[in-house]
Every structure is written in structure tokens, then in C-alpha cells.
Amino acid sequence: MLAKSHGFGLTGIDAYHITIEIDAGKGLPAITIVGLPDSAVRESKERVRSAIKNSGFEFPRGRITINLAPADTKKEGPSFDLPIALGILAASEQLPAEALVATAFLGELSLDGQIKPVPGALASAMAAAKHGFHTIVLPTMNVAEGLLTNDIRVLSAHSLQQTVQMLLDPSRQDKVAPVITTLPAPLTSLHDFEDVKGQAHVKRGLEIAAAGGHNTLLVGPPGTGKTMLARRFPSILPPMNRAEALEATRIYSAAFGNTSTPGGLITERPFRAPHHTASPISIVGGGSDPQPGEVTHAHHGVLFLDELPEFTRGALEALRQPLEDGHVTIARAAKTLRFPAKFALLAAMNPCPCGHLTNRERHCSCSSTSIQKYLSKISGPLMDRIDIHLEVPSLKTTDLLNTPTGETSTSIRARVLAAREIQTQRFQHENTITNS
């Protein structure tokens, strides 16, 4: 008997529809999976076999052929386990085939039939709605993400047996929480500008950068607080709106799996700080099977590059296009993917190799040649894309001890929000959001 079920796979941060065709016929017992499956998909036949048996169902004894259509698209990951198992049950007449017609399924099966969470639940729910499905069944741990889209009904499934019972008897469908329509209040940041003494002009520069969405470079000797200031920069940024939060959640869900945030929605602006040994691919994305990089993970947030000249020249030059266009296009022979990358670049560096060129307390030991070589690691075109350059001077111990506590991030953020509101009114008839 022939049966069909429906699932979704991931390519980059987007989901694509997969039709799973199951043919259970006579012959020697065997399972064949076709349609360009990767190792995880090929191994699903063993997981599915054990899950069906341990859930109290009978596994067909004949020859089973599983086709993942379209056949020319590579299928990756364990998210097809649940639709494959349901398709086998329908092909062996243990489940009505009609129950699988207008519903999409997503989930990895354990050997005892429990359903594990999978990456890309939000992207899959959005794609299912666009393809005309009225229901999607997600692992319980992924339901909060799926509920973020209003265009499709989301059902929770914690085991194969419970999923079958739910399909046979709609009254057993798990009740899920209502869809979030408003964003929760932002969490209080662990890093506050109140902790930073002195450097008033640097704080003012970062405030202007936050208000206008400007890229910023901090230059100063070691120990002057550049990294400390940078890590507090997100605390004065405006909160994300719902569209920005959904996009950030979709990226993190596809890249890292379950977001593990209340309600499944990421509401804090991302702050990414890759190590200076990061490769160009890890920064902008790529690979034989293109995946998003740090610039995409920092979408609608901040990308902080500490010790800027220590990054490879290739990694720094790769930032030029994302800073200009707000997206990254990765072209490979098999496919071309476009990842969003609208972020604020925040960088920090020493003025010379030893770091003490501008230090009033210590003497610089670097030659003019070594200083020029050090600074030349950052190209002119990249520096042109950094709007604000701030010198962070060294402070005397007495200044640190006697200076009162700094202004809080809350009060600075209030001025940033007021400035953003002025820009919103100014650019309401243009395709522009901030001064940058």
C-alpha cells in the first residue's frame, strides 16, 4: 500500500517542503530510503523501526521503499523521523492515510518512541503555512517557537503513540498556550554603564552610536575599559520590535535548535563576540553546505570584534559587503543562499603592538615601522565603514577611586529611544530607519 506524509527540511535558515512517500509491499524484509538522504536520514530507518515496535505498533514485514521528494534536493538531519514513522503506519493500514493529508510533522524519534526537539521549528511552521497546511505537529520542546506564527495551528507531540492517538481522536489533541501577540518587557541587563567610572566622552560616543545605528571603533591602551564598555553597549540599544524578534528567533532556531527562552521568542538584541582566530567562513558564513556566520547571528544586534588587527585580513575584508548591503550572499555550485546581516559593528584595538602609544603613564617600545605594519592590517575601505572612532585614554588610579558612580544604562537608553523616535518621524516616507 502507498501512503504519503509531509515534513520540512532546512537549507541555511529557511525551511523547504518534503513529501515523504512510503510503499509497503511484498518481498524480503528491507527498508530503502531514496531521495539524496544524508547519514542521519539513512540511519532513521533503525530509529523508526525500534520506535514503532516499542510504541505498541507492528512493523511491516515486507519490503518498504521510502522516497523523499523532491529527489534532487539533499535531505539532512533527523527531523524526518516522525513523518516517516507515521507514513509507515499509514502504509501498513494501522493509521488512516487521510489523517496525514493536510498536516505537516517534525521530530526526531528515540528508540522508545519519544519525540526529541529539532532545529528550525519556527522556520518550518512559517513554511508550512505558506504551503497551505492548516496544522503542524511539533515536538513539545519546539511548540513555543511554532506558536510564534499566527497562520497555522500548532499541536504538541511528546511520543509516537500519543501522536497516533491524537490523529485518530482529535479530542486528545494537547491544548497549547495562546500565541504571543505582544513582546514581554526587556530583561534587566547584567552589564550596566553605571559600573564604568570615567570615560564620559566614550559613553557619549556610544550613546550617539546607539541612537544612530553607527559602527564604532574604540582605540586605547590595554586596561582602559574598552571591552567593559563594549559589553554594556547592548544595554542602551532600543528593544526589538516583533518583526525583528521573529527574525532573530528564526535564525537562532535554525542554527542552534531550541532557543530555550520564555515563550520561545528572543527579545534581547544579539551580542556576538567571536575570538580573533575566527575564520572568514565562521564570520560571514559559507562552507560546502552554506551555513550562516557570526554576522547573521548578530542580525538586529551587535558584532563585537575585540583586538581588531589580530583578525585575519580575509575575515576583516569579508565584512565589507555585509556592512554595506545588510546581507550576505553565499554562492556554491549546488545552490545560492542569502543570509540577513544587519548589525552594528563595534570594534576595539590597541594603538600599536605593545598598546602604549597613547598611554601617558608608560612608554611605547614599538618602532614606527611596526606601528605602521600593525595599523595597515585594517584596510581603508573597512575603516571608511566605521562611522565613529573613539579614543579611550588610560586613567589614573586616583581618578578611578575618586570618580563617582556613572550614569545608569536606563537613563542613557531613554535618550536613545527619544532620538530614535525623532529619526522615525524624519524618515517615515523613506526606506531608512536610522541616521547611519
Side-chain angles (χ1 to χ4, degrees):
M1 184 177 175
L2 180 66
K4 291 183 181 180
S5 60
H6 302 276
F8 284 84
L10 281 178
T11 175
I13 60 174
D14 297 314
Y16 58 94
H17 176 221
I18 296 296
T19 301
I20 301 168
E21 301 172 333
I22 313 289
D23 179 52
K26 297 180 180 180
L28 294 175
I31 303 178
T32 303
I33 301 179
V34 297
L36 291 182
D38 72 344
S39 297
V41 179
R42 287 194 297 269
E43 292 172 353
S44 68
K45 59 186 179 183
E46 304 302 333
R47 294 191 296 270
V48 168
R49 185 199 304 271
S50 297
I52 289 177
K53 290 181 178 180
N54 292 325
S55 298
F57 302 105
E58 183 180 348
F59 193 84
R61 294 181 179 276
R63 181 178 182 82
I64 299 176
T65 302
I66 303 171
N67 179 43
L68 307 178
D72 60 347
T73 301
K74 188 176 182 181
K75 320 303 186 303
E76 299 177 322
S79 61
F80 305 114
D81 288 3
L82 180 59
I84 288 176
L86 294 172
I88 291 176
L89 293 177
S92 59
E93 300 183 340
Q94 301 178 70
L95 178 68
E98 298 77 15
L100 309 179
V101 172
T103 303
F105 302 91
L106 210 68
E108 176 187 349
L109 288 175
S110 61
L111 299 184
D112 62 356
Q114 297 298 307
I115 302 177
K116 298 179 180 180
V118 293
L122 177 56
S124 298
M126 291 178 171
K130 290 181 180 178
H131 281 82
F133 291 94
H134 63 67
T135 305
I136 185 170
V137 177
L138 295 176
T140 302
M141 293 293 292
N142 290 128
V143 166
E145 292 177 40
L147 287 172
L148 297 176
T149 176
N150 302 323
D151 303 324
I152 192 170
R153 185 174 63 140
V154 178
L155 298 180
S156 171
H158 58 78
S159 70
L160 177 60
Q161 186 179 52
Q162 179 251 344
T163 304
V164 173
Q165 293 172 349
M166 184 171 58
L167 293 173
L168 292 174
D169 184 2
S171 65
R172 295 194 177 191
Q173 295 175 357
D174 284 4
K175 303 298 182 182
V176 293
V179 178
I180 297 174
T181 55
T182 58
L183 293 180
L187 299 175
T188 302
S189 175
L190 298 177
H191 305 289
D192 196 293
F193 271 101
E194 184 181 22
D195 304 327
V196 183
K197 291 188 175 183
Q199 309 294 15
H201 73 286
V202 182
K203 297 178 186 177
R204 178 59 178 165
L206 292 175
E207 179 182 336
I208 295 171
H214 299 287
N215 302 318
T216 308
L217 175 64
L218 306 177
V219 184
T224 55
K226 300 187 295 296
T227 303
M228 186 178 184
L229 287 160
R231 292 198 177 277
R232 283 152 179 76
F233 184 64
S235 67
I236 63 173
L237 290 174
M240 290 194 290
N241 58 39
R242 181 171 176 79
E244 292 174 336
L246 277 174
E247 199 165 11
T249 303
R250 182 169 65 95
I251 292 170
Y252 272 72
S253 172
F256 306 115
N258 189 28
T259 57
S260 299
T261 57
L265 188 66
I266 293 176
T267 57
E268 295 295 311
R269 293 192 179 273
F271 181 84
R272 305 294 297 183
H275 193 260
H276 62 260
T277 57
S279 66
I281 289 178
S282 69
I283 295 292
V284 299
S288 56
D289 178 30
Q291 296 297 320
E294 290 293 334
V295 294
T296 301
H297 298 153
H299 187 54
H300 294 314
V302 180
L303 178 66
F304 175 50
L305 301 183
D306 204 359
E307 306 296 344
L308 185 65
E310 301 302 329
F311 285 82
T312 64
R313 189 175 183 88
L316 295 180
E317 293 304 302
L319 289 171
R320 288 162 59 174
Q321 182 197 1
L323 288 171
E324 190 76 22
D325 301 335
H327 65 265
V328 177
T329 301
I330 307 294
R332 296 293 182 265
K335 54 186 164 183
T336 299
L337 297 178
R338 176 168 163 169
F339 300 129
K342 293 182 179 179
F343 60 92
L345 176 64
L346 186 57
M349 61 177 287
N350 296 330
C352 65
C354 78
H356 299 292
L357 179 63
T358 59
N359 194 336
R360 292 172 293 183
E361 304 296 326
R362 296 185 60 178
H363 176 70
C364 173
S365 60
C366 305
S367 65
S368 58
T369 303
S370 64
I371 295 175
Q372 181 61 34
K373 182 179 179 180
Y374 179 76
L375 297 178
S376 65
K377 294 180 179 179
I378 309 171
S379 68
L382 179 60
M383 292 294 273
D384 288 342
R385 289 167 170 79
I386 301 178
D387 309 318
I388 299 177
H389 296 202
L390 297 171
E391 183 178 351
V392 187
S394 58
L395 299 176
K396 295 182 179 180
T397 304
T398 54
D399 294 336
L400 290 173
L401 294 175
N402 299 328
T403 303
T405 303
E407 189 177 13
T408 64
S409 293
T410 302
S411 58
I412 299 175
R413 191 184 213 184
R415 294 195 297 269
V416 171
L417 291 173
R420 285 287 181 109
E421 181 61 30
I422 294 173
Q423 293 170 81
T424 300
Q425 297 298 323
R426 178 187 303 146
F427 301 126
Q428 59 182 327
H429 300 302
E430 302 179 30
N431 188 25
T432 303
I433 300 175
T434 60
N435 290 338
S436 66

